[in-house]
Amino acid sequence: NCTFADNSGGTSAFKVQGNAVLTNNIIWNPLLPREVIIPNNTSAGIFTRAEFRYNNIRGGINGVLNEPWLNQLIWGAGNTDFDPLFADSGNHPYALSSFSPLIDVGWQSASGLAQPGYDVGGNERVWDGDGDGIATIDTGAYEYQPIFAPLNLTAELWQQQIRLSWEMPAFDRNLSGYRVFRNNQPYADVLDPTLMQFRDHSPVNDTLVYSVAALYGAVESARSNSVTVIVEGVSVSDELTPMAVSLSISPNPFSAIAVIRYELSRKADVNLKIYNLRGQLVRALETGYRDSGEHIVAWEGCDEHNRTLASGVYFLRFSVDGKLQKQSKLVLMK
C-alpha cells in the first residue's frame, strides 16, 4: 500500500532482493529508466524471489529489470500500467483524483481486512470509492475520497473583531475540520467539522486576506474563495500587550503520566487539547481563562471518559485567545 512517484536520479525507484511480495503499490517515476531492479547478488549468496501482484507499475513488467542469474520474478494477478491520475493539488498531491483508474482495484484478503486500518492521510483504508456498493482497497498509499472545499466564505468586522463564516457541501466520510489561512499562511485549525466559523482579532490597523480549506484527516482540500478585511482606526491605547508563551512536556515518550508546563505573560483564554492522528479530539486538558505565570497539567493517557488509550502518537495543541501557539507530538507507550 505504498506510492513511489516522481523520483529522479539513479537507475530505479528501488531494488528488491531476498524473498519479497509487493502488493497494492503505485510505482510511477517517468524520470527514471526503470521502476524496480532485482539485482544479481548470487555471488554473495543472496537469491531473490520477487512476487508482484495488484501493483500499478509504469511500463508493466518491462518496468522491472531482473538481472540474471537465479532470481525469480513472479508476475501475479492484478498488475496494471495506468497513468495514476494523481490529484496534484493540496498538501497531499499524490492522493488519487476522482478520475483515477486505481480506485477500488486493489487486493484484499478473503476476510475483507487490510492493513493498515487507515491510509497515509489518516482516512479509512477500505472504502467504496467508485460507488458500486462494494468497499475495496485502492492501489497506492491513499484511499480515494471526494475532497470537497468550503464555499461562500464571508467576513464581518466589528471594531477589531473579525468573524468568518462559510458553508460546506454535503459529505459522507471523515471530514475532521478546517484550516484557516491568513495572508496566504496557515493560521489556525478548527477541529470541529460542524463549526463553520472562526473569530479573529487584530490589535493594529491592517489589511487581512482570509481563506479556508477543509481537512480530511491530514489531507487538505483546495481553498475556499478569499475575503479581504481592512482594519482601520485602531489607536495605540487599544493595542493588546503582546503574548509570550512557553510550553514543555516531560517525559516524552511516556507510559504513565506526561507533565505539561506552560507559562503566560498575561491573563488569557487558554485551550490545551489532545488529538489523535485522525484529528479527532481525545481530551480537553485546559479550557478557559488562566492568570499569568506558570501552569502545570498532567495527562495520564486517558480520554474524556477516563478510558485508557492505546499506545501511539497523539498531538497536543496549545491555543491562546483563539490562536494556535504550539503543536507538540506526544508518544504514549503502555
Side-chain angles (χ1 to χ4, degrees):
N1 304 332
C2 296
T3 295
F4 304 86
D6 285 348
N7 293 285
S8 61
T11 56
S12 65
F14 58 88
K15 296 181 179 180
V16 177
Q17 67 179 22
N19 189 14
V21 179
L22 288 83
T23 308
N24 290 347
N25 302 291
I26 298 174
I27 311 172
W28 197 265
N29 302 272
L31 297 179
L32 296 176
R34 284 286 197 282
E35 296 296 334
V36 183
I37 293 177
I38 306 173
N40 178 12
N41 287 325
T42 55
S43 60
I46 300 174
F47 300 90
T48 295
R49 179 189 183 278
E51 180 180 352
F52 295 80
R53 58 184 183 181
Y54 290 88
N55 300 283
N56 188 77
I57 302 177
R58 183 181 63 93
I61 194 170
N62 294 321
V64 181
L65 175 60
N66 184 18
E67 298 180 347
W69 171 53
L70 294 177
N71 293 330
Q72 294 184 59
L73 168 58
I74 301 172
W75 196 252
N79 294 309
T80 55
D81 175 18
F82 298 134
D83 185 330
L85 298 178
F86 295 121
D88 290 330
S89 63
N91 62 338
H92 286 246
Y94 293 103
L96 302 178
S97 74
S98 60
F99 303 103
S100 175
L102 305 180
I103 297 171
D104 279 14
V105 298
W107 177 86
Q108 286 176 251
S109 65
S111 66
L113 300 175
Q115 288 189 332
Y118 299 98
D119 70 4
V120 72
N123 300 300
E124 295 170 63
R125 180 69 263 198
V126 181
W127 189 261
D128 179 16
D130 61 6
D132 66 355
I134 303 173
T136 307
I137 195 170
D138 297 344
T139 307
Y142 295 89
E143 188 78 5
Y144 169 75
Q145 63 172 328
I147 302 295
F148 296 112
L151 303 171
N152 302 326
L153 176 65
T154 61
E156 300 176 40
L157 175 65
W158 184 75
Q159 295 181 349
Q160 296 151 246
Q161 305 294 323
I162 301 139
R163 180 180 180 271
L164 304 175
S165 59
W166 57 87
E167 299 173 4
M168 192 65 199
F171 56 89
D172 62 356
R173 85 180 273 221
N174 208 38
L175 177 66
S176 55
Y178 308 93
R179 177 158 294 153
V180 178
F181 290 80
R182 191 169 89 167
N183 294 341
N184 209 37
Q185 297 296 320
Y187 182 63
D189 287 352
V190 178
L191 296 176
D192 180 352
T194 66
L195 184 63
M196 289 173 277
Q197 60 178 338
F198 176 75
R199 293 184 181 273
D200 196 13
H201 175 271
S202 177
V204 298
N205 296 325
D206 205 350
T207 298
L208 305 171
V209 180
Y210 294 94
S211 60
V212 180
L215 297 176
Y216 296 82
V219 180
E220 182 183 293
S221 77
R223 298 187 203 174
S224 68
N225 59 294
S226 62
V227 295
T228 301
V229 177
I230 300 174
V231 182
E232 297 179 317
V234 179
S235 66
V236 175
S237 61
D238 291 331
E239 296 183 15
L240 292 175
T241 304
M243 171 63 71
V245 298
S246 64
L247 178 73
S248 65
I249 305 167
S250 180
N252 191 18
F254 74 101
S255 59
I257 294 177
V259 177
I260 301 158
R261 299 174 183 268
Y262 68 92
E263 189 168 354
L264 304 173
S265 61
R266 59 173 170 81
K267 184 176 182 179
D269 186 12
V270 169
N271 276 281
L272 195 66
K273 297 180 178 180
I274 304 290
Y275 295 86
N276 61 22
L277 281 172
R278 300 186 68 196
Q280 297 169 321
L281 177 64
V282 170
R283 182 78 177 265
L285 299 176
E286 292 267 78
T287 57
Y289 281 89
R290 298 294 185 270
D291 292 328
S292 62
E294 185 182 49
H295 300 263
I296 300 175
V297 183
W299 184 46
E300 68 284 13
C302 295
D303 64 10
E304 294 281 7
H305 304 288
N306 289 320
R307 295 175 298 201
T308 301
L309 295 168
S311 298
V313 177
Y314 297 86
F315 290 97
L316 175 69
R317 292 175 184 256
F318 181 39
S319 299
V320 178
D321 291 334
K323 299 177 183 179
L324 181 64
Q325 300 290 331
K326 294 180 182 295
Q327 175 172 288
S328 299
K329 182 186 295 183
L330 276 158
V331 180
L332 173 60
M333 300 177 65
K334 290 292 187 181

